[in-house]
């Protein structure tokens, strides 16, 4: 696997500090979450890949056949490819901690990598993930820290699927925190503040 397997941007941080991977939502690109990542983890080196699937011109990390209906074969392909991309960057950087931040489709591919390779990320922020299937975790998530953020009126990700995902992650040993707001699929200030605290705690624990 090459470090350039995905078109991506890299923002250098403190040598030997955390490595933060950020994953954009549908229609975003490698620029979408860079400034947010820097705000949330000031010392981290940030790597932001661009999704390699186009949905009528909108970049995504894997294909879907309808809203909330995933091409599971392509999700498997994307998960394997992204896990390899992350691993090669981690091996090169030897960071103090490996962090992940994803929004919407980016949260979904991050979650899928966490299921497939539980030891890869020390701490992950999943903003408005939608996992409409029962995840098969390849190992234990014990010692992994996960923050999920969600809207109570999210038309794309119904709250019951958020709580179901929370239950799956807890059952496999993850330390899970959920931050809600009263709106929809948009990111609100309380989510950002929760993610800032979460990453600060993760960096201290590294």
């Amino acid at each position: 696997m090459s470090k350039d397997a995905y078109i991506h941007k890299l923002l250098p941080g403190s040598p030997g500090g955390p490595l933060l991977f950020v994953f954009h939502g549908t229609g975003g690109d490698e620029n979408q979450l860079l400034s947010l990542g820097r705000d949330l983890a000031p010392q981290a080196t940030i790597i932001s890949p661009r999704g390699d699937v186009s949905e009528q011109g909108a970049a995504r990390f894997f294909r879907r056949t309808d809203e909330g209906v995933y091409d599971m074969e392509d999700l498997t392909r994307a998960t394997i490819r992204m896990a390899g991309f992350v691993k090669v960057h981690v091996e090169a950087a030897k960071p103090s901690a490996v962090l992940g931040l994803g929004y919407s489709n980016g949260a979904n591919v991050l979650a899928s990598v966490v299921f497939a390779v539980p030891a890869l990320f020390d701490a992950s922020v999943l903003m408005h993930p939608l996992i409409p299937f029962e995840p098969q975790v390849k190992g234990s998530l014990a010692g992994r820290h996960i923050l999920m953020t969600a809207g109570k009126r999210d038309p794309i990700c119904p709250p019951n699927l958020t709580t179901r995902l929370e239950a799956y992650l807890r059952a496999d040993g993850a330390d899970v925190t959920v931050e809600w707001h009263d709106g929809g699929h948009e990111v609100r200030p309380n989510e950002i503040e929760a993610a800032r605290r979460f990453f600060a705690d993760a960096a201290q624990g590294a």
Side-chain angles (χ1 to χ4, degrees):
M1 176 66 67
S2 165
K3 289 171 70 175
D4 297 318
Y6 287 86
I7 295 170
H8 67 282
K9 283 197 171 180
L10 186 152
L11 288 183
S14 299
L19 191 58
L20 170 62
F21 292 85
V22 297
F23 305 97
H24 64 78
T26 298
D29 62 18
E30 65 274 23
N31 299 299
Q32 186 182 48
L33 298 179
L34 277 177
S35 61
L36 178 60
R38 174 57 75 228
D39 176 42
L40 298 180
Q43 304 303 315
T45 293
I46 302 171
I47 298 176
S48 179
R50 182 196 303 175
D52 59 350
V53 168
S54 176
E55 182 179 271
Q56 298 179 334
R60 285 176 53 84
F61 290 100
F62 58 89
R63 296 186 181 90
R64 61 182 173 182
T65 57
D66 204 347
E67 188 74 64
V69 182
Y70 297 163
D71 179 332
M72 297 303 290
E73 185 175 324
D74 195 58
L75 176 57
T76 298
R77 172 206 65 82
T79 302
I80 293 169
R81 187 178 190 197
M82 187 58 75
F85 175 79
V86 171
K87 283 178 183 176
V88 73
H89 280 278
V90 170
E91 288 166 1
K94 296 179 172 54
S96 60
V98 182
L99 312 176
L101 167 69
Y103 166 65
S104 194
N105 181 243
N108 299 339
V109 77
L110 173 56
S112 190
V113 171
V114 168
F115 303 150
V117 193
L120 192 52
F121 286 93
D122 297 298
S124 303
V125 175
L126 307 175
M127 291 183 160
H128 301 261
L130 172 60
I131 304 298
F133 57 89
E134 184 171 342
Q136 301 297 314
V137 180
K138 303 297 196 300
S140 171
L141 287 169
R144 306 297 122 179
H145 303 279
I146 297 174
L147 170 66
M148 296 170 58
T149 71
K152 293 179 181 177
R153 295 176 176 83
D154 191 335
I156 294 174
C157 181
N160 66 299
L161 291 186
T162 299
T163 54
R164 187 179 74 164
L165 177 58
E166 177 190 6
Y168 286 142
L169 294 171
R170 286 189 189 281
D172 209 71
D175 176 5
V176 185
T177 304
V178 183
E179 179 75 19
W180 293 92
H181 65 63
D182 290 328
H185 203 60
E186 75 280 2
V187 175
R188 291 195 175 182
N190 68 300
E191 296 177 71
I192 294 172
E193 183 55 37
R196 183 180 292 113
R197 293 193 307 267
F198 177 79
F199 279 145
D201 290 345
Q204 288 178 355

